[in-house]
């Protein structure tokens, strides 16, 4: 019996993630997993999609919990022999009006959006099957924040030779300097969310380069994307796009046809490669 294809969407019990699962259930020829930290919220989200006539599956996942990450990875290896499509959507953001000190916002935001996502990718990328697709949900705020960085930081974040270790060190430096309230003086933007998404976009470029080098014949495409300004708990009710509209670009990248060679390691918005 042939093993079905499988797609896995992190942080997908609501918002853009839920809309991505909905679209993938309609378009992807295989099993689609909705994941959530909280089992009851996740299963409720699955039931809501089943009521629409769709058939997602559920797996508990907290990307900040290494044991949870390994359980999910081992489950996919055992049941499917790996993973065909990974959409990294899990992320957090403080509201604009939140009075939490910026240093704490920086530490908390980067812990999930960058460091946990990076650790997750390093567990999951080895199980991506040949022809697989990896989509990291970034944000237009990564570009906005990049343009607010010092010329020196911009040069490193745009360079084609930045390493993962160097990127990690820079993200750690941002948190330290935010906690010491010297981040703007040292060339950083006044947005923890934006800085975390710089990290995701640059990490995507680094991981795509590594895949080209280490698995050159496997045809895996890995990209970052901006879903747009979407009406979610995170972005608020005034945003211009519905979650289903926000899912369009991530799903487009997840379903790039077999044999496609581009885009690879790019930042994509409205299905178009953006200058980084």
């Amino acid at each position: 019996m042939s093993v079905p294809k499988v797609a896995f969407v992190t942080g997908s019990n609501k918002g853009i993630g839920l809309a991505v699962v909905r679209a993938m259930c309609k378009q992807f020829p295989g099993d689609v997993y909705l994941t959530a930290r909280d089992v009851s919220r996740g299963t409720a989200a699955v039931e809501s999609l089943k009521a629409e006539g769709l058939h997602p599956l559920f797996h508990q996942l907290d990307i900040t919990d290494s044991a949870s990450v390994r359980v999910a990875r081992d489950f996919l290896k055992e049941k499917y022999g790996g993973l065909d499509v990974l959409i990294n959507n899990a992320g957090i953001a403080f509201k604009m009006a939140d009075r939490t000190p910026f240093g704490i916002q920086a530490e908390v935001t980067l812990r999930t959006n960058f460091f946990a996502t990076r650790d997750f990718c390093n567990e999951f990328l080895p199980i991506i099957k040949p022809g697989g697709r990896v989509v990291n949900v970034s944000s237009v705020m990564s570009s906005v924040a990049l343009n607010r960085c010092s010329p020196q930081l911009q040069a490193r974040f745009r360079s084609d030779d930045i390493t993962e270790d160097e990127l990690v060190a820079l993200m750690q430096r941002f948190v330290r300097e935010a906690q010491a309230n010297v981040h703007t003086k040292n060339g950083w933007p006044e947005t923890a969310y934006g800085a975390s998404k710089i990290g995701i976009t640059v990490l995507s470029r680094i991981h795509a380069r590594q895949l080209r080098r280490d698995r050159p014949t496997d045809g895996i495409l890995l990209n970052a994307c901006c879903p747009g300004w979407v009406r979610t708990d995170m972005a608020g009710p005034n945003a211009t796009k519905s979650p289903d509209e926000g899912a369009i670009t991530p799903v487009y990248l997840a379903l790039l046809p077999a044999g496609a060679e581009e885009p690879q390691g790019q930042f994509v918005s409205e299905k178009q490669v953006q200058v980084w």
Side-chain angles (χ1 to χ4, degrees):
M1 206 174 91
S2 65
V3 177
K5 288 193 157 202
V6 59
F8 207 72
V9 187
T10 72
S12 50
N13 61 292
K14 62 180 182 177
I16 294 167
L18 181 62
V20 166
V21 171
R22 177 185 290 116
M24 291 292 286
C25 283
K26 293 174 181 175
Q27 299 176 56
F28 178 71
D31 291 349
V32 180
Y33 278 84
L34 181 154
T35 70
R37 288 178 296 187
D38 183 279
V39 172
S40 60
R41 286 184 192 151
T43 49
V46 164
E47 291 308 314
S48 75
L49 291 178
K50 285 184 176 173
E52 298 176 23
L54 303 172
H55 303 284
L57 299 160
F58 176 70
H59 203 288
Q60 191 277 338
L61 176 70
D62 178 352
I63 66 164
T64 66
D65 176 350
S66 58
S68 168
V69 169
R70 284 195 290 271
V71 165
R73 179 202 64 191
D74 293 347
F75 164 78
L76 289 166
K77 273 169 66 177
E78 191 174 322
K79 184 170 172 70
Y80 298 94
L83 182 57
D84 297 286
V85 175
L86 172 60
I87 301 175
N88 283 309
N89 172 73
I92 62 165
F94 284 83
K95 298 279 189 264
M96 293 292 285
D98 197 301
R99 306 319 303 163
T100 304
F102 187 77
I104 296 173
Q105 291 196 24
E107 195 271 324
V108 170
T109 303
L110 269 77
R111 185 194 309 153
T112 294
N113 291 9
F114 178 74
F115 294 108
T117 300
R118 179 231 177 195
D119 291 343
F120 179 85
C121 287
N122 286 332
E123 293 286 359
F124 268 65
L125 288 181
I127 71 161
I128 301 294
K129 293 181 180 181
R133 304 288 180 254
V134 181
V135 184
N136 295 328
V137 178
S138 185
S139 167
V140 69
M141 282 305 298
S142 68
S143 295
V144 172
L146 179 70
N147 288 324
R148 293 178 185 166
C149 287
S150 68
Q152 293 87 346
L153 284 170
Q154 287 188 41
R156 289 318 298 149
F157 288 135
R158 288 192 168 111
S159 75
D160 290 330
D161 62 1
I162 186 172
T163 63
E164 190 168 333
D165 286 345
E166 183 185 354
L167 177 62
V168 167
L170 283 167
M171 293 288 111
Q172 289 169 335
R173 192 182 113 196
F174 169 73
V175 172
R176 274 198 317 275
E177 294 181 350
Q179 288 170 332
N181 201 28
V182 295
H183 56 289
T184 48
K185 188 179 82 179
N186 291 341
W188 294 100
E190 189 70 30
T191 162
Y193 181 77
S196 75
K197 293 301 190 177
I198 289 175
I200 289 301
T201 302
V202 177
L203 185 70
S204 304
R205 289 160 59 87
I206 292 167
H207 282 168
R209 283 205 305 272
Q210 288 173 349
L211 283 168
R212 266 197 298 257
R213 185 185 68 226
D214 299 341
R215 300 175 65 178
T217 61
D218 279 359
I220 298 167
L221 296 180
L222 184 155
N223 293 282
C225 71
C226 168
W229 192 29
V230 179
R231 290 187 293 278
T232 61
D233 289 351
M234 190 186 285
N238 299 323
T240 48
K241 284 186 175 184
S242 69
D244 288 327
E245 289 168 328
I248 289 171
T249 293
V251 170
Y252 157 74
L253 291 170
L255 299 177
L256 287 167
E261 296 180 3
E262 294 291 337
Q264 169 71 318
Q266 301 290 347
F267 179 56
V268 179
S269 179
E270 307 294 344
K271 301 204 284 192
Q272 300 293 317
V273 171
Q274 306 298 307
V275 175
W276 176 247

